[in-house]
Amino acid sequence: MTRHLAVSALILALLQPGIAANPSSVNLDGYSPAHSAAERDWEAKFRAVPDPKILRDNMQRLSARPHNVGSPYDKDNAEWMLAKFKEFGFDAQIETFYVLFPTPKERKLEMLEPTKFTAKLQESPLAVDPTSSQTAEQLPTYNAYSKDGDVTGPLVYVNYGVREDYEQLERMGVSVKGAIVIARYGGAWRGIKPKVAAEHGAVGCIIYSDPRDDGFFEGQHFPDGPFRPSDGVQRGSVMDTDYPGDPLTPGVGATKDAKRLDITEAKTITTIPVLPISYGDAQPLLAALTGSVVPDSWRGALPITYHVGPGPAKVHLVMKSNWDIKPIYDVIAKIPGSETPEQWVIRGNHHDAWVNGAEDPISGMTAVLEEARALGELLKQGWKPRRTIIYCAWDGEEPGLLGSTEWVEEHGADLNQHAVLYINSDSNSRGFLYASGSHTLEPMVNAVARDVPDPETKLSVQRRAQLRRIANAQKPEDRETARGADFRIGALGDGSDYASFLDHAGVAALNIGFGGESQGGIYHSIYDDFYWYTHYGDPEFVYERALAQLGGTMVMRMADADLLPFDPAASADTVKRYVGELKTELKDKQDKVRERNREIEEGVFTATADPTKKSVAPAKQDMPPFLNFAPLENGVAAYERAARRYKTAFAKLAEANPTVWDSADLKAVNQQLILTERTFMTTEGLKERPWFKHQIYAPGAYTGYGVKTIPAVREMMEEDKWQDADAGSVIAGGVLMKQAALVDSIAAQLEKLVGANPPATKMAKKRARAEEGQVSGR
Ligand SMILES: [Zn+2]
């Protein structure tokens, strides 16, 4: 890239509608006026580098063969990326951990009654799709961390297999005790299904992909379209949610000599055997069920009448694994910071897949790699990031966030001291920007997204995402919210490598990418490959380029800032909304129980039930008590006050004495800002899952990927544990008070800096010493 081209790219970018109009293009948040102009210039140069052709070539290379944990190509990819990072000018190395990774030894699923049927448990290669026939290297279809078992029992269909589905079953007079359940994918993370089934007494769990959810009901199936063919199977981990990472080393890095639990002590392996199947294999089983016809919302798209059972279908399920310890290879690549090397800006994506994984994860990984190449180009041109930048290619994400979790656990003390933030991505395709994470980063996300052009509309990706929210809003007030200056980012639950950073280490985190225009049904199957992606994912690789532009600009914006652009006000505003939600949720719950109890007294259920069909009237429930939200409300109010104070001082920076920008005191403010996310943690963690330390965001114990904000209160309310919910309010309220005190003290420091009497800066101190005739030796 020549300088001339880079400059025209900058001019072009500034002329984009929706980009030039943005006032933040005048001065970047957290940058001195002079530094802001230079930063804009570097960032524009950066965004001109990512190249669709290279992105395509790298995807083809990385997804050429199956590369699951423990496979030869998994290691090969890690070594290839290591060489690439070094070539780009990074200081790179591979960090190896040793983790428990089960692979199938024996799998069997057969129907014994009323007819005999043996499931195929095999995906078919397709002639048009070259990598689909690499059968020898493909992992069989299975759910990792399923307990070994050989079970026989009557079959029961449980819809998505979440807790509400079992309440419905109870109303229909159906028990799953001693049964093997068949659940469809969807509704919650897959690992929740065997967990809830076991809690209700089931002895085995089958999970299948119904064509209604990602097959022919949605569109043409692969290879004629992007959706799941009849023998496509979703592999995946069913590790329980107590903690992610290696089941044998919770809380510590799984290094070679780490102290390991015995497998029997590992709390995250399922308690019943689990097996995923295709709808081709599921159809004969479901067709053999009798008993009640399922409720409307439980119906899939197979051409059968869906019955619940139990039986007469009786099935035999065998699942046995080789429980081996396997090495995993994290590639860690650094650019040392020029001024504040002790502050780390971290960016990552995983590189392991279930099979070839062109979309999951290579579509994210190639974009991240292309960012690294582009930053390397800037280094050659003389760019020097102020802070240390660390690029990570994680291994072992698919089985259970193994690579990132072990790395976070191993480097916990360093991260606590040094980590500014972690930016994650994973699968990426055509469509709309999505961003979730720590709400202190919401303004930064919006500002950077305003600088990245959307490939299809030429609006900024920020504007396009915002307009889509307006289109999708269900209520007028949601539309008005969507029309605000910034779009709101979501909260993070679980589902990719940000989890350990945020939930366990209290490192501010983001998850970013594009999607929504490219649906499909190849997730975790042999068909998620280069052929599929180049036909249905992002055939022009322009959203791949957009992700590289977005992610890399965020890294630069955070790495180069004079004052880190964290905004406590955006966070306080969000937490206040969460507290409001909790209060509404309690009231809704009380109203619901009151109404139901009344209907039971009136005899509504017995009067309306068809006596020829089996049904069980619900039992009366205790009224949910009132809770004490005062600690939370006081915490939020204090946090809001402190955040406002900080925002006011922050705004004054623009007019402050220019010497402020290179004062040592400003550096101290940055170090304090880094600690704000840590302050949301408690050492004890969540009562029932102490590995999870964050008191604002956590994945749900019964949703998996889905987030539970203020989990110590929300989850306990959902589980009718009222005393624990009250105790949670005190804990979370206390955390907010601590946060308020920290933000208040940072605001006070900033006020001093921007005040009428600017405090001594490094330069001024030096000058003063020189005037006093003192000569400093250093
Ligand atoms: Zn992934």
Side-chain angles (χ1 to χ4, degrees), residues 349-350 352-353 359-362 397-398 425-427 495-497 523-524:
N349 199 104
H350 70 100
D352 69 300
E359 182 182 52
D360 182 6
I362 300 305
E397 189 270 358
E398 292 295 358
S425 53
D426 201 317
S427 303
S496 195
D497 292 306
Y523 178 57
H524 292 184

